[in-house]
Amino acid sequence: MEALIGILMMVAVRISIFNAHICTFRDQHDGLFVDCRGRQLQDIPDDLPMNMTFLDISENRITAVRNRTFQHFSYLRYINLNNNSLTTMELDAFVGVLSLTTLLLASNKFSNQSDSFPEGLFRDLGNLHTLNLQNNKMTKYPDLVLTPLTELHNLSIDPVRDAEFGPGFSKLTNLKVLNMDNGHCSLETLTNETFRALNGTKLEVLLLNHCHHLTSCQAGVLEPLSHLGHLELSNNRIGIHKVLRLLYPFVGRNMTRIWLNNTFKPIVRLKEDLEDRMITENRTRFLVQRCVFLELSLKGNRIRLIEAGSINKSPIRECLEIIDLSQNSLIGDVSFVLFLAIFSKLRYVKQAINTMYTMELKADGNRQKGKHRKSSHVAFGYNQQHDIVRINGLENVSRVDLSGNKLGSVTDDFLKSFSNVKSLSLKDCNLQFANDVLRARNIFDALKLMECLDLSLNDLQLFPFILNQNRIIHLILSQNKFDTIPIVTENFPSLILLNMSFNTIGHLDRFTRSDLDTSAARNSLKVAFVGNIFSCGCDTLDFILWLMDSPVVYESDKNFPCIQDNGQMTGTAEVAVEYMRIYRYCTGKWILTLTVTCLALFLTSTLTIYLISKNPTRLKNIIMGTLGFGVKYLTQKDFSFKLYIGYCEADIAFVYRRLRPALEQCEHPVRLFLKDREVLPGHDIADGIIEGINKSWKTVLLVSSDFLEDDSAWSHFTTKAAIYSANALIPNRILILLMGEVQVQDLPLCLLNVVEEEFIIHVDDYPEAKLWKHLRQIANLEH
């Protein structure tokens, strides 16, 4: 039994030491992750494990990184110091971290001073791949400190007002991504010298968005970036004409993405500003002479006219796959859309005419006997419509796409415009603000033939009432906020596909799973779950097994991401394979908890029974005292003296010159028992000391070095008498005043066992008046 208790105590000590650390630790597949995020730290802890590979110490209050902070962490590959108050980086701060590949220093208070980035700071970071310096207070770039970073691939940095990359950036020969897109841009002008130092790099991606003050740009600014294949230059005030002119250095070269969104001038003052709203053949002469394999976006430029010949050119015609011309205001020549049919690789076109005209389409009333009108498709997507009214002439349309319109006030009268619709898309229509509309029992009443309904991307948590549930075949509810299946599928007898992708489903209860299995057996129902992050803890293991085995799951690859009870991410396939091990672990935790609880109860009961058997009378008195029966607690009025003062002969001067005047000869006097005064000559001193302590409310011991070394032994006798007088009827009966160089640890162990530290006062720590006031407070003296 004693051995088992010892083992349990050792385990408890180890666990308490581990849990006492302010940071948390977890093993990842490639190393030890130390999470110190958001702990209100002012310094980097000096007791971190030496074998850690990832350190997240972001969102704290650290102001400086001192020399050799990381010198012992040779395995460290990732440091996140974002969102601190850093202003200083000492020269040897990163000495020793030769394996570091990622360093995040964003959202701090770095400036251009040498204290922030001393030259030579990064000399040991030759393997660094990623560096983030965004959202600091720099007004120019610390280029010389970056010269050792020859392997740097990804650099994130603020676009400062007069951005110019100095000669130090020419050493970044492997730089591939330059991210200047953090939403805090003070840049006003781009010159031909801005990127000149990057001429020797391999820069492939340039992100320079959200520079709302950027109005001026010289034509040759991109000329040094000979390897550029991905350009994002959106949300500025340069103007689409000048932005397109920047592309001349890339004539004949391949590019994967060009984003030139929202580059319009907000105010039209001159003729050239008006012409900036038009895409002409002349202005796209540099654009069409390269092969854009993936994407071209001219979104949101307030373009009014696109000439047919401005884009319909070779080689772009053979390469372009995606073109986005949405959020413009095309009202003129739109015949260029017809030529898009000859673009051999084009797979996606997004084009919206944002001015939606009033229209009335006449349905063809001449039908041949036994035949119906052919199905037609109407798309009013992304026209920013708010005021919805009924549209005549579309009653026989079979497919309607209203995606992207703000239909928070959609009515059943409007839906009657498409009374025979079979496929209706209300994707991204702000329906999350239309709870009253969705609850209305007649909202879809007119759509008696509807078979396919798309309500995706609406942030829905409430599923609308559908009267004609028998006809629904496809129901798309992806990209909403459903945490379970919001319908009873048995009520949808024709449903064969339910898309619940990208919601917030963590697991499904037994009733929902049974309902889905019944529907799958009846009409081969399939449910798409991709994009949900499931829970695979001890309480949801049966759901994971169902997910892997049930035929209702649409995806062939059923390895969905899921989160374990310890917060780690894994996959459902791995959980299913390791099911028995996880099950034993889960049940083992419960059994261990039960065992430890029972053991604790057993030991507590045994100890209690032993104590009761040895001290029955004392225990009875304690219980009676706790309940307030048979015990009378003493008060100050029951004693002749307030304080007994215990001292040695060497401290008499302190007693009569300082203590007695402050307590007994003052506005609120306290009656003191002083043995030299109260014990009469001829009376036994020992009896006098004991009598004085018993007649006093509290005992104050003046402990000096002379008191501890008193040759007369009266100090030792006084101490023992005071200890024997302590009892539960008078709490904290002994108070101690430490004098001179005496410290708490110098007190006898017998005193430390009965006197709490808050009732031990060091005389030299208080001014005279505060000393005696504090003594009165802890002695609980009545005025």
Side-chain angles (χ1 to χ4, degrees):
M1 179 62 72
E2 293 181 356
L4 178 59
I5 295 175
I7 293 174
L8 290 175
M9 291 179 63
M10 293 176 62
V11 172
V13 169
R14 289 178 62 93
I15 293 175
S16 64
I17 293 174
F18 182 79
N19 291 336
H21 201 285
I22 194 169
C23 303
T24 57
F25 308 88
R26 64 176 182 268
D27 290 324
Q28 293 187 340
H29 64 279
D30 51 356
L32 177 64
F33 188 97
V34 177
D35 187 356
C36 304
R37 179 182 55 204
R39 304 303 203 275
Q40 303 298 315
L41 298 175
Q42 296 182 353
D43 295 291
I44 298 174
D46 56 4
D47 57 347
L48 297 174
M50 295 177 62
N51 63 333
M52 67 176 174
T53 52
F54 300 88
L55 173 62
D56 186 349
I57 198 166
S58 60
E59 302 176 23
N60 284 291
R61 299 179 180 178
I62 301 171
T63 59
V65 180
R66 303 301 179 187
N67 284 332
R68 304 186 182 279
T69 297
F70 303 106
Q71 66 174 342
H72 299 299
F73 306 112
S74 57
Y75 299 101
L76 196 56
R77 301 199 301 270
Y78 172 96
I79 299 177
N80 186 351
L81 281 161
N82 290 345
N83 293 290
N84 276 282
S85 301
L86 287 170
T87 60
T88 302
M89 305 281 279
E90 295 187 357
L91 178 61
D92 294 333
F94 295 105
V95 166
V97 281
L98 302 177
S99 300
L100 194 67
T101 59
T102 300
L103 177 60
L104 308 181
L105 299 171
S107 299
N108 281 286
K109 298 181 180 179
F110 291 123
S111 63
N112 303 321
Q113 304 298 323
S114 59
D115 289 343
S116 292
F117 296 103
E119 188 173 348
L121 174 67
F122 297 146
R123 63 185 183 277
D124 277 6
L125 306 186
N127 291 313
L128 195 69
H129 286 192
T130 301
L131 175 63
N132 191 339
L133 299 174
Q134 288 182 324
N135 196 20
N136 280 287
K137 295 185 177 181
M138 295 181 290
T139 56
K140 61 180 181 179
Y141 297 137
D143 62 305
L144 295 180
V145 75
L146 302 179
T147 54
L149 307 181
T150 55
E151 295 297 323
L152 191 67
H153 290 183
N154 192 323
L155 174 62
S156 299
I157 199 165
D158 293 327
V160 298
R161 182 171 182 176
D162 299 314
E164 183 172 329
F165 293 86
F169 286 90
S170 63
K171 305 297 184 180
L172 308 181
T173 54
N174 288 298
L175 185 64
K176 294 185 178 181
V177 178
L178 179 59
N179 182 2
M180 302 173 71
D181 181 11
N182 72 334
H184 301 282
C185 178
S186 59
L187 182 63
E188 296 180 355
T189 302
L190 287 174
T191 70
N192 292 340
E193 299 300 320
T194 299
F195 300 114
R196 184 67 62 190
L198 300 177
N199 186 41
T201 68
K202 299 177 181 179
L203 193 68
E204 298 176 359
V205 178
L206 174 62
L207 309 179
L208 184 54
N209 301 316
H210 303 100
C211 288
H212 300 291
H213 303 288
L214 180 58
T215 58
S216 176
C217 189
Q218 294 183 357
V221 64
L222 300 179
E223 188 172 354
L225 309 180
S226 57
H227 294 83
L228 196 65
H230 180 144
L231 173 64
E232 294 186 20
L233 192 58
S234 300
N235 296 291
N236 56 65
R237 297 296 177 260
I238 300 175
I240 189 63
H241 173 52
K242 291 184 179 180
V243 169
L244 289 172
R245 187 181 61 181
L246 301 180
L247 301 177
Y248 82 86
F250 308 105
V251 170
R253 299 178 187 172
N254 293 339
M255 299 190 73
T256 57
R257 172 180 287 183
I258 300 178
W259 274 12
L260 305 175
N261 302 330
N262 295 299
T263 64
F264 61 87
K265 296 181 178 180
I267 301 176
V268 177
R269 294 176 178 173
L270 305 173
K271 179 182 178 182
E272 64 180 29
D273 296 333
L274 182 60
E275 293 176 348
D276 202 51
R277 300 289 193 266
M278 297 181 286
I279 302 296
T280 64
E281 185 174 356
N282 179 57
R283 292 181 177 178
T284 59
R285 63 187 185 278
F286 303 128
L287 175 66
V288 298
Q289 294 184 50
R290 68 193 43 76
C291 199
V292 182
F293 282 108
L294 292 181
E295 188 169 348
L296 169 64
S297 180
L298 300 176
K299 174 183 176 181
N301 281 294
R302 299 188 181 180
I303 299 171
R304 313 290 279 182
L305 171 68
I306 299 180
E307 289 184 353
S310 60
I311 298 178
N312 181 24
K313 295 289 183 66
S314 182
I316 193 173
R317 186 168 57 197
E318 288 77 31
C319 300
L320 188 66
E321 295 184 6
I322 297 175
I323 181 170
D324 189 347
L325 298 171
S326 62
Q327 298 183 22
N328 286 293
S329 303
L330 303 178
I331 60 175
D333 183 8
V334 295
S335 61
F336 78 96
V337 178
L338 302 177
F339 291 98
L340 295 178
I342 64 176
F343 280 58
S344 59
K345 292 188 177 181
L346 193 64
R347 57 185 175 85
Y348 179 80
V349 179
K350 189 174 183 181
Q351 182 270 330
I353 302 176
N354 289 330
T355 305
M356 184 175 177
Y357 298 102
T358 303
M359 61 179 66
E360 182 173 344
L361 303 181
K362 298 295 185 180
D364 186 0
N366 298 321
R367 301 182 181 177
Q368 297 179 9
K369 186 176 182 180
K371 294 183 179 180
H372 296 282
R373 185 180 177 182
K374 293 182 179 180
S375 299
S376 57
H377 176 196
V378 174
F380 294 151
Y382 294 91
N383 285 292
Q384 305 301 314
Q385 289 299 296
H386 297 269
D387 299 325
I388 303 300
V389 296
R390 183 170 179 176
I391 303 174
N392 296 321
L394 302 179
E395 290 80 4
N396 292 315
V397 171
S398 62
R399 297 178 59 198
V400 175
D401 187 350
L402 297 172
S403 301
N405 293 290
K406 307 310 176 186
L407 303 180
S409 59
V410 64
T411 64
D412 62 315
D413 187 62
F414 171 69
L415 293 179
K416 289 178 182 178
S417 305
F418 322 104
S419 55
N420 290 306
V421 68
K422 292 186 177 181
S423 176
L424 174 62
S425 176
L426 296 175
K427 177 181 178 181
D428 191 18
C429 286
N430 276 20
L431 295 182
Q432 70 271 28
F433 302 116
N435 286 340
D436 293 339
V437 174
L438 297 178
R439 289 192 182 97
R441 296 180 65 85
N442 62 341
I443 183 65
F444 293 115
D445 188 28
L447 310 183
K448 299 184 182 301
L449 302 180
M450 185 171 61
E451 297 177 349
C452 301
L453 177 61
D454 186 350
L455 296 175
S456 59
L457 208 65
N458 278 294
D459 287 340
L460 290 176
Q461 294 176 295
L462 171 71
F463 184 74
F465 180 81
I466 298 178
L467 185 62
N468 303 307
Q469 300 174 346
N470 293 339
R471 296 188 61 90
I472 299 296
I473 298 175
H474 291 173
L475 183 58
I476 303 175
L477 302 176
S478 61
Q479 300 183 73
N480 284 294
K481 293 183 178 179
F482 294 112
D483 56 6
T484 187
I485 304 296
I487 64 172
V488 178
T489 56
E490 281 196 70
N491 297 333
F492 292 76
S494 301
L495 188 64
I496 61 174
L497 178 61
L498 174 61
N499 191 338
M500 298 301 303
S501 303
F502 297 97
N503 276 276
T504 59
I505 300 174
H507 73 284
L508 300 177
D509 58 37
R510 293 180 181 274
F511 174 80
T512 304
R513 300 199 302 263
S514 176
D515 174 55
L516 293 176
D517 287 337
T518 301
S519 298
R522 181 184 59 208
N523 56 351
S524 302
L525 170 67
K526 294 290 185 180
V527 182
F529 287 113
V530 64
N532 290 282
I533 300 178
F534 297 116
S535 169
C536 49
C538 294
D539 296 333
T540 58
L541 286 179
D542 55 342
F543 164 69
I544 299 300
L545 290 182
W546 174 87
L547 194 68
M548 301 302 295
D549 297 336
S550 176
V552 77
V553 181
Y554 177 78
E555 289 81 13
S556 58
D557 181 7
K558 298 183 179 181
N559 190 20
F560 301 101
C562 64
I563 299 178
Q564 296 175 313
D565 287 341
N566 59 7
Q568 289 187 341
M569 186 74 73
T570 184
T572 54
E574 181 178 350
V575 173
V577 171
E578 299 289 329
Y579 171 77
M580 288 306 302
R581 180 185 64 81
I582 299 174
Y583 176 78
R584 286 194 295 269
Y585 167 76
C586 294
T587 54
K589 287 198 305 181
W590 180 82
I591 294 174
L592 177 62
T593 303
L594 180 61
T595 303
V596 172
T597 303
C598 292
L599 179 60
L601 289 174
F602 172 74
L603 294 177
T604 303
S605 302
T606 302
L607 180 61
T608 302
I609 293 172
Y610 174 79
L611 293 176
I612 292 174
S613 63
K614 292 295 184 181
N615 303 279
T617 304
R618 184 176 181 182
L619 179 63
K620 177 182 178 181
N621 290 336
I622 292 174
I623 295 175
M624 294 295 290
T626 303
L627 298 176
F629 298 112
V631 177
K632 179 183 178 183
Y633 287 94
L634 301 177
T635 65
Q636 297 180 34
K637 296 179 181 179
D638 297 319
F639 296 89
S640 303
F641 299 90
K642 297 293 185 182
L643 298 177
Y644 176 90
I645 308 299
Y647 55 91
C648 67
E649 296 298 328
D651 297 325
I652 289 179
F654 177 85
V655 173
Y656 285 95
R657 293 178 183 176
R658 295 178 61 183
L659 186 147
R660 181 172 174 267
L663 297 177
E664 200 171 58
Q665 299 174 345
C666 58
E667 183 178 355
H668 301 288
V670 174
R671 189 178 182 191
L672 306 177
F673 188 101
L674 307 175
K675 71 177 183 355
D676 297 299
R677 184 183 68 183
E678 311 300 339
V679 180
L680 299 177
H683 194 280
D684 185 75
I685 297 177
D687 291 341
I689 292 174
I690 294 174
E691 182 181 3
I693 291 175
N694 290 333
K695 288 184 177 182
S696 300
W697 166 244
K698 296 288 176 74
T699 299
V700 179
L701 300 180
L702 305 183
V703 181
S704 62
S705 57
D706 294 314
F707 184 92
L708 296 175
E709 300 171 0
D710 187 8
D711 295 333
S712 67
W714 287 118
S715 297
H716 180 71
F717 180 82
T718 303
T719 301
K720 290 294 186 180
I723 293 173
Y724 292 146
S725 70
N727 59 69
L729 300 180
I730 307 176
N732 304 307
R733 194 172 187 182
I734 303 176
L735 312 176
I736 298 176
L737 294 184
L738 300 179
M739 302 173 60
E741 298 181 355
V742 178
Q743 303 297 323
V744 174
Q745 57 267 27
D746 298 329
L747 294 175
L749 185 61
C750 58
L751 269 179
L752 292 176
N753 288 335
V754 296
V755 182
E756 298 181 12
E757 289 197 20
E758 62 179 299
F759 298 99
I760 302 175
I761 305 174
H762 203 297
V763 173
D764 295 339
D765 290 345
Y766 293 85
E768 190 74 13
K770 290 186 176 180
L771 172 64
W772 309 118
K773 181 179 180 180
H774 185 56
L775 179 60
R776 286 173 177 269
Q777 290 176 345
I778 65 173
N780 195 21
L781 296 178
E782 300 174 352
H783 292 323

